């Protein structure tokens, strides 16, 4: 196995608390509304949305796979940290045997936050796992949280 992955981050004027509430806690409701050209729906298959819950996200034809199913590993609403593990779908079983993600919203002195995202994959073969596949996850996560940021900036009373 070959460990592959990505790190991405961006600074946002939106508070860590609002980004976490909208982009993590309520993402299953918000994502299909904010990026319907990418996400057709997200449902909670098991649990209440918190740690241990299993979620399935379905995608449009813009994404090279139709769905992913994830398990919530950590959801810390005080530290604004969210970790999840892919269970099924995506490129799991085709390009890699394991996929884990982490999203952090670190508060800044200006009242905003820095959104930090990490993806780690156990690839079957280094030569088969191309940067394009890594970039799908990286760009997808970044795009999702940028859409959440835009929504929160346009709706300053949402997710307080």
């Amino acid at each position: 196995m070959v460990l592959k992955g990505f790190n991405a981050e961006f600074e946002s004027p939106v508070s860590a608390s609002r980004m976490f509430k909208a982009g993590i806690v309520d993402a299953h409701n918000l994502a299909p509304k904010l990026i319907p050209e990418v996400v057709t729906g997200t449902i909670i298959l098991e649990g209440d949305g918190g740690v241990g819950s299993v979620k399935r996200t379905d995608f449009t034809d813009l994404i090279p796979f139709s769905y992913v199913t994830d398990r919530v590993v950590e959801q810390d609403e005080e530290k604004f940290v969210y970790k999840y593990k892919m269970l099924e779908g995506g490129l799991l079983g085709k390009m890699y045997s394991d996929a884990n993600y982490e999203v952090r919203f670190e508060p800044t002195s200006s009242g905003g936050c820095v959104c930090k995202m990490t993806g780690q994959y156990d690839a079957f073969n280094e030569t088969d796992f191309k940067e394009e596949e890594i970039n799908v996850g990286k760009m997808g996560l970044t795009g999702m949280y940028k859409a959440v940021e835009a929504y929160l900036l346009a709706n300053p009373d949402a997710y307080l």
Side-chain angles (χ1 to χ4, degrees):
M1 295 290 169
V2 178
L3 187 63
K4 296 289 241 177
F6 68 84
N7 292 302
E9 69 178 64
F10 68 90
E11 191 163 347
S12 173
V14 178
S15 73
S17 174
R18 290 182 69 215
M19 287 291 287
F20 193 86
K21 287 176 188 173
I24 302 298
V25 177
D26 199 38
H28 61 285
N29 291 316
L30 201 54
K33 295 174 186 171
L34 295 182
I35 50 173
E37 66 281 1
V38 177
V39 176
T40 61
T42 300
I43 57 172
I44 298 173
L45 300 172
E46 294 176 23
D48 60 4
V51 174
S53 295
V54 176
K55 301 176 185 181
R56 177 184 165 123
T57 301
D58 293 301
F59 301 105
T60 67
D61 292 340
L62 287 177
I63 304 300
F65 40 84
S66 60
Y67 75 97
V68 293
T69 303
D70 303 311
R71 179 177 309 281
V72 179
V73 175
E74 180 179 342
Q75 185 169 311
D76 189 326
E77 295 185 37
E78 292 179 11
K79 294 181 181 175
F80 313 115
V81 175
Y82 182 67
K83 296 179 182 179
Y84 60 101
K85 176 182 186 62
M86 187 182 298
L87 300 176
E88 179 179 54
L91 298 173
L92 189 67
K94 297 174 184 148
M95 303 294 289
Y96 45 82
S97 62
D98 195 30
N100 295 282
Y101 300 90
E102 179 178 317
V103 180
R104 298 180 167 271
F105 300 101
E106 296 181 354
T108 61
S109 60
S110 64
C113 68
V114 175
C115 177
K116 295 184 176 184
M117 299 155 284
T118 303
Q120 291 187 328
Y121 310 97
D122 286 331
F124 291 128
N125 183 329
E126 185 171 3
T127 58
D128 290 341
F129 202 84
K130 298 175 180 63
E131 286 301 313
E132 298 90 59
E133 283 89 10
I134 293 174
N135 283 334
V136 168
K138 181 178 180 178
M139 299 310 293
L141 280 177
T142 301
M144 166 62 186
Y145 294 113
K146 290 299 272 182
V148 169
E149 174 189 57
Y151 174 80
L152 293 173
L153 289 171
N155 297 278
D157 294 329
Y159 298 96
L160 293 176

